[in-house]
Amino acid sequence: MADKKLTDEEREELAKKLDKSLDDFIESKAKNKRNTDFDEEAFDKLLEEHPAFISSIPKEGKLPPLVEALQALKYDEEENEPEELAQNYKEDGNYNFKLKQYRFAITAYTEGLQRKCKNKDLNSQLHGNRAACHFQLGNYRMALNDCEECLKLNENNLKVHIRGIECCFRLKLHDDAMKLCTNGLKVFPTDERILDLENKIRKQKKIDERDKRKLMLNANRKKIENERIWAAILSRNLRMAEFIHPDKLDQVPNLEYLNSAHPHSSVTKVSLDENGKNLVWPVIFLYPEYGQMDFIEKFHENTTFQDHLETIFGPDIPAPPWDESENYKNGVLEIYFEDVPTNSLVSILNSKTLLHAISDFRYIITGGTPSFIILSKNSNFKSNFLARYK
């Protein structure tokens, strides 16, 4: 679409060029040998060669001068009334819609509406057609807006009634969809498509309301569970890095959002056992000698470290692939945690429970996941590693 306006002299020059071009075109074709049989397809193709009869504008490349001039004349506000311009833009939009060039079509329909012509039917069509484009692009909110504007101007457009209802359905605006169904049935009381949509929306509304109730119940259960877990943490005087400030102790945090360095901890959080009295933690064992770790999904607070080390490094358990020297065996393993403020390591007896370790006033739980360092007495790495903290 061209935006250039023509001067009076340019319009006069354009008319002369078109007359001469058409005369030359007809004269050149008249000189060709005529066929005895009229070939309509060949005749249409012949007309397409001239700018005055061209049916489509090339999408790429520079337009021929006469075509460009005709385009400018088509959209000249001094040569056309607002209604004529709106009609021209509508035709361009329809052409692009057929080619599934929906964004180009939207631009054309918008230009037509901006002409603000007084023809309500034409404006209604522009809104309805633009709604169809937005619908094809998945812009259901914008499509719905155009459907509403279209129906204000002409409520007898069945397609737009249906499209507006479908937009509301996809946007999960069930109450609005039911209102549109009611309005549509006032105009088209027996239309099966509107009746089917009304029934479909009514059923979906019940399903969504049921699902919403389930979500609310689940959220309430999680909230109560979260409060009970936090109460258990406070009653044990456990310190958590994210909530260690005294001002935060009276606030119940959402423990679901605690994240540690281990990816599995994002789905496994501290919880209560089946009796609802004891805490069960996700725990990480770190092996700094090899840069490895083990993630224990459920470590009951009353279970000892020895129990889990036996499971991982027991006599009948093959050595992990990273322990080629087989130094990591149950019975020669030592457990530590970091006392960050003093930059020191605190030793824990293997026979102690998890609760005993994390209840130590020096222990701070980070990311909702207690972690411990495991070293082997049989490895030279141990002495070098401990020296870092002296």
Side-chain angles (χ1 to χ4, degrees):
M1 291 177 285
D3 295 324
K4 180 183 176 183
K5 293 184 178 180
L6 299 178
T7 64
D8 292 339
E9 293 78 8
E10 287 174 331
R11 291 191 192 94
E12 184 177 353
E13 183 64 25
L14 174 59
K16 290 179 180 179
K17 285 184 178 180
L18 285 173
D19 287 341
K20 185 177 185 309
S21 174
L22 189 57
D23 289 341
D24 292 344
F25 178 77
I26 294 173
E27 184 179 350
S28 66
K29 300 307 175 185
K31 292 178 180 179
N32 294 335
K33 184 177 180 180
R34 296 180 179 275
N35 295 324
T36 54
D37 296 327
F38 177 73
D39 188 336
E40 184 177 353
E41 184 178 345
F43 181 74
D44 291 340
K45 188 176 180 180
L46 190 65
L47 289 179
E48 279 282 339
E49 297 177 13
H50 192 273
F53 303 107
I54 191 170
S55 61
S56 62
I57 302 299
K59 292 293 181 184
E60 298 178 357
K62 185 173 176 59
L63 295 175
L66 281 178
V67 175
E68 193 172 33
L70 284 171
Q71 284 289 95
L73 188 62
K74 179 179 180 181
Y75 299 107
D76 192 328
E77 294 184 4
E78 294 183 12
E79 286 292 322
N80 299 278
E81 295 295 328
E83 184 173 333
E84 293 174 318
L85 288 169
Q87 181 64 34
N88 290 339
Y89 282 117
K90 175 196 162 188
E91 291 171 359
D92 281 348
N94 292 349
Y95 174 75
N96 282 296
F97 185 88
K98 289 179 181 178
L99 296 177
K100 297 184 179 181
Q101 300 285 345
Y102 301 120
R103 288 181 174 82
F104 288 134
I106 288 172
T107 300
Y109 295 136
T110 301
E111 289 286 348
L113 288 167
Q114 288 176 349
R115 303 288 76 79
K116 300 184 183 300
C117 77
K118 296 181 180 180
N119 188 325
K120 289 186 176 181
D121 287 338
L122 180 53
N123 287 330
S124 172
Q125 292 166 15
L126 288 166
H127 277 295
N129 292 355
R130 191 169 67 175
C133 294
H134 281 305
F135 189 88
Q136 291 295 330
L137 294 172
N139 302 331
Y140 301 122
R141 173 63 69 178
M142 299 183 77
L144 177 59
N145 291 340
D146 269 323
C147 287
E148 291 173 346
E149 292 300 319
C150 173
L151 294 175
K152 287 178 184 177
L153 298 168
N154 178 14
E155 65 176 7
N156 295 313
N157 193 321
L158 177 59
K159 286 185 179 180
V160 174
H161 275 287
I162 293 172
R163 186 168 291 119
I165 296 168
E166 289 177 338
C167 287
C168 287
F169 180 77
R170 284 164 172 76
L171 293 168
K172 295 187 178 298
L173 302 174
H174 301 314
D175 290 337
D176 291 340
M178 292 301 292
K179 288 179 182 177
L180 288 178
C181 286
T182 300
N183 293 338
L185 290 172
K186 287 179 181 178
V187 186
F188 306 99
T190 61
D191 187 80
E192 292 185 1
R193 286 171 293 182
I194 297 180
L195 291 170
D196 289 343
L197 280 170
E198 184 181 43
N199 186 47
K200 179 181 177 181
I201 292 163
R202 189 178 287 112
K203 289 180 179 178
Q204 189 60 47
K205 183 180 179 181
K206 289 182 179 179
I207 293 172
D208 289 352
E209 288 174 347
R210 179 201 64 194
D211 292 344
K212 185 177 180 180
R213 288 194 298 271
K214 286 183 178 180
L215 286 173
M216 291 179 65
L217 287 172
N218 188 44
N220 191 48
R221 280 196 294 267
K222 284 186 176 181
K223 181 176 180 292
I224 294 172
E225 181 78 359
N226 190 79
E227 290 173 349
R228 292 177 64 198
I229 293 171
W230 183 241
I233 290 172
L234 291 180
S235 70
R236 290 159 173 74
N237 294 316
L238 303 181
R239 298 200 301 165
M240 302 187 73
E242 293 81 3
F243 315 111
I244 202 167
H245 196 280
D247 294 342
K248 294 186 177 182
L249 295 180
D250 293 335
Q251 303 172 13
V252 180
N254 189 342
L255 301 174
E256 287 287 323
Y257 295 110
L258 292 174
N259 291 308
S260 77
H262 198 282
H264 288 163
S265 67
S266 62
V267 292
T268 305
K269 306 292 182 182
V270 60
S271 60
L272 293 167
D273 64 7
E274 58 185 12
N275 296 321
K277 296 180 179 180
N278 302 300
L279 293 172
V280 180
W281 294 87
V283 171
I284 294 175
F285 283 171
L286 300 168
Y287 311 103
E289 181 174 359
Y290 295 101
Q292 299 290 329
M293 67 172 63
D294 275 321
F295 179 75
I296 301 170
E297 189 173 348
K298 295 182 181 297
F299 198 136
H300 195 285
E301 64 179 359
N302 294 329
T303 302
T304 67
F305 288 91
Q306 180 63 33
D307 292 334
H308 285 283
L309 291 174
E310 182 71 22
T311 301
I312 301 172
F313 299 105
D316 299 328
I317 306 298
W322 45 264
D323 182 23
E324 296 181 358
S325 301
E326 298 188 7
N327 287 328
Y328 285 74
K329 291 291 184 181
N330 194 24
V332 296
L333 301 178
E334 296 179 348
I335 307 168
Y336 300 85
F337 69 81
E338 281 188 302
D339 180 11
V340 177
T342 62
N343 190 35
S344 61
L345 288 181
V346 180
S347 177
I348 307 169
L349 293 176
N350 295 14
S351 59
K352 295 299 181 180
T353 64
L354 174 63
L355 180 58
H356 174 85
I358 61 179
S359 295
D360 190 297
F361 72 94
R362 293 164 293 185
Y363 196 92
I364 300 176
I365 302 169
T366 302
T369 307
S371 62
F372 300 91
I373 296 170
I374 311 295
L375 299 175
S376 172
K377 297 177 183 178
N378 296 339
S379 173
N380 294 329
F381 176 82
K382 173 192 167 184
S383 58
N384 294 330
F385 184 78
L386 293 178
R388 301 177 190 176
Y389 290 89
K390 292 181 180 179

